[in-house]
Amino acid sequence: MRQYWWVNHKQTFNQEIEHQYLWSPKTSSNGARNRFYDNMRAANPGDLVLSYANQLIRYVGRVADFAFTAPKPSEFGATGAYWNNEGWLLPVFWTRLDPPIRPRDLLSLIGPLLPEKYSPLQSETGKGNQGVYLAAIARELYEVVRAHTRVDDVRLETGGANRLAFGTVRDELDDRVEDALRADLTLDDTIRNATIQARRGQGTFRSNVQKMENACRLTGITNPALLIASHIKPWRSCETPNERLDGANGLLLTPDADLLFDRGFISFEDSGEVRVSPRFDQGDLRRLGLGEHAWKQLGFSEAPMPWLAQGFSDSQRAYLSYHRAQVYIT
């Protein structure tokens, strides 16, 4: 079911609209959970977002993909200097409203529809609530705003599909990290080259993974030509060359399994049992031919191939804990 959201993003409005995303830290500056940041992970592809900044709603956006771990965008500059560098990036395709909407002018209509808790606006004054970022709103509130403006619905519903696909955005983020590594004069050339090769599961990193893993964790396939050396903690999120080259931070997976794992649609328990995201289309999982668990959930008595369950080493478990918390889509 489609959800509706409202984002207060005065500080980062220009950057987020231009580059077609939302970005937030994962926690408040004191490390506490933050409902508005948690909402980044709750948004689904197809959800609609109203953009509020400088007392105006000027854009509506369609969520293009699930949020995923990403460094703070470099285009933010000094904005949010106190935010942690790692946060959630939510791809959003923005479409301009014509004319823009001033919520204060519609307060008699909007006010009664604002949520009692976690509201983006003060219902009495129409001012934005400080500290609110991405807030859930009722469809009725969204419809009131849409009834007083115009938007290109075809563009809103279909635009940005390729530009905002996970693989495209991920590659752009990885490119930025790679550029920074190439410019880092403190790195030994051998380490730099090995670290860059590790981005694509090659070189030293693959050799290190193969010392710990010899088959795909889902399918049991052992043919090296059919296996990808995949990072557990994403390459872009690693803090040191050692993490990027650590064999314990990798699995050998077939291409389909690698895509599911990289995107967070599956993860692993320390015991080796597979977690399947409840937000991944189970029919698609069945069509991929992966997963005894998914087949049983769909009412089939047998799966085309069993998932293998084999425990992980202590060094691998630390990375898997990160994957379950920061990559896996709950």
Side-chain angles (χ1 to χ4, degrees), residues 164-178:
L164 297 179
F166 168 72
T168 302
V169 178
R170 176 202 58 201
D171 289 347
E172 290 181 1
L173 294 172
D174 284 357
D175 285 345
R176 294 186 185 188
V177 175
E178 182 172 329

Side-chain angles (χ1 to χ4, degrees), residues 109-125:
L109 299 175
I110 289 176
L113 299 174
L114 289 167
E116 293 184 8
K117 193 175 183 180
Y118 306 120
S119 175
L121 292 182
Q122 298 173 24
S123 59
E124 300 84 5
T125 66

Side-chain angles (χ1 to χ4, degrees), residues 139-140 199 231:
R139 176 177 178 174
E140 292 78 7
R199 170 185 172 181
H231 281 86

Side-chain angles (χ1 to χ4, degrees), residues 80-329:
Y82 54 91
W83 293 334
N84 290 331
N85 186 57
E86 185 178 82
W88 300 122
L89 189 145
L90 183 68
V92 180
F93 182 74
W94 297 107
T95 303
R96 185 185 294 273
L97 298 179
D98 182 25
I101 298 297
R102 187 181 302 276
R104 287 190 193 182
D105 296 341
L106 301 176
L107 195 56
S108 62
L109 299 175
I110 289 176
L113 299 174
L114 289 167
E116 293 184 8
K117 193 175 183 180
Y118 306 120
S119 175
L121 292 182
Q122 298 173 24
S123 59
E124 300 84 5
T125 66
K127 293 182 179 179
N129 276 323
Q130 294 294 318
V132 172
Y133 185 60
L134 186 64
I137 60 172
R139 176 177 178 174
E140 292 78 7
L141 194 161
Y142 173 84
E143 295 292 352
V144 167
V145 172
R146 281 295 307 274
H148 288 81
T149 187
R150 295 180 300 275
V151 66
D152 186 336
D153 285 309
V154 173
R155 185 173 187 272
L156 175 63
E157 294 293 346
T158 63
N162 295 326
R163 165 68 180 82
L164 297 179
F166 168 72
T168 302
V169 178
R170 176 202 58 201
D171 289 347
E172 290 181 1
L173 294 172
D174 284 357
D175 285 345
R176 294 186 185 188
V177 175
E178 182 172 329
D179 288 345
L181 287 171
R182 292 186 184 279
D184 187 351
L185 300 180
T186 67
L187 285 178
D188 175 82
D189 285 345
T190 300
I191 295 296
R192 179 187 294 106
N193 291 335
T195 302
I196 291 172
Q197 284 183 320
R199 170 185 172 181
R200 296 171 176 84
Q202 299 172 356
T204 301
F205 172 67
R206 184 181 179 95
S207 297
N208 290 342
V209 175
Q210 288 175 321
K211 294 174 183 176
M212 306 189 70
E213 299 281 310
N214 59 16
C216 173
R217 285 274 177 165
L218 287 186
T219 65
I221 288 175
T222 59
N223 184 344
L226 301 177
L227 298 175
I228 295 172
S230 179
H231 281 86
I232 300 174
K233 182 177 182 179
W235 182 87
R236 65 183 173 278
S237 299
C238 293
E239 299 175 10
T240 65
N242 285 340
E243 280 193 331
R244 293 188 169 102
L245 297 174
D246 188 356
N249 187 22
L251 297 176
L252 295 177
L253 299 170
T254 55
D256 283 347
D258 170 69
L259 178 60
L260 294 172
F261 185 73
D262 189 35
R263 190 60 196 90
F265 287 131
I266 63 171
S267 191
F268 294 93
E269 305 289 354
D270 291 348
S271 63
E273 291 293 327
V274 181
R275 280 193 189 183
V276 181
S277 169
R279 294 161 74 190
F280 182 64
D281 187 282
Q282 297 295 320
D284 285 344
L285 190 65
R286 178 177 60 83
R287 293 180 191 101
L288 285 170
L290 292 172
E292 178 182 14
H293 297 48
W295 279 75
K296 288 181 178 178
Q297 290 172 17
L298 291 166
F300 293 87
S301 59
E302 295 182 0
M305 61 184 73
W307 278 342
L308 306 179
Q310 181 179 350
F312 291 93
S313 68
D314 289 342
S315 55
Q316 290 172 309
R317 289 174 180 176
Y319 291 111
L320 285 169
S321 177
Y322 179 96
H323 189 274
R324 290 191 296 266
Q326 310 295 346
V327 180
Y328 177 69
I329 299 172

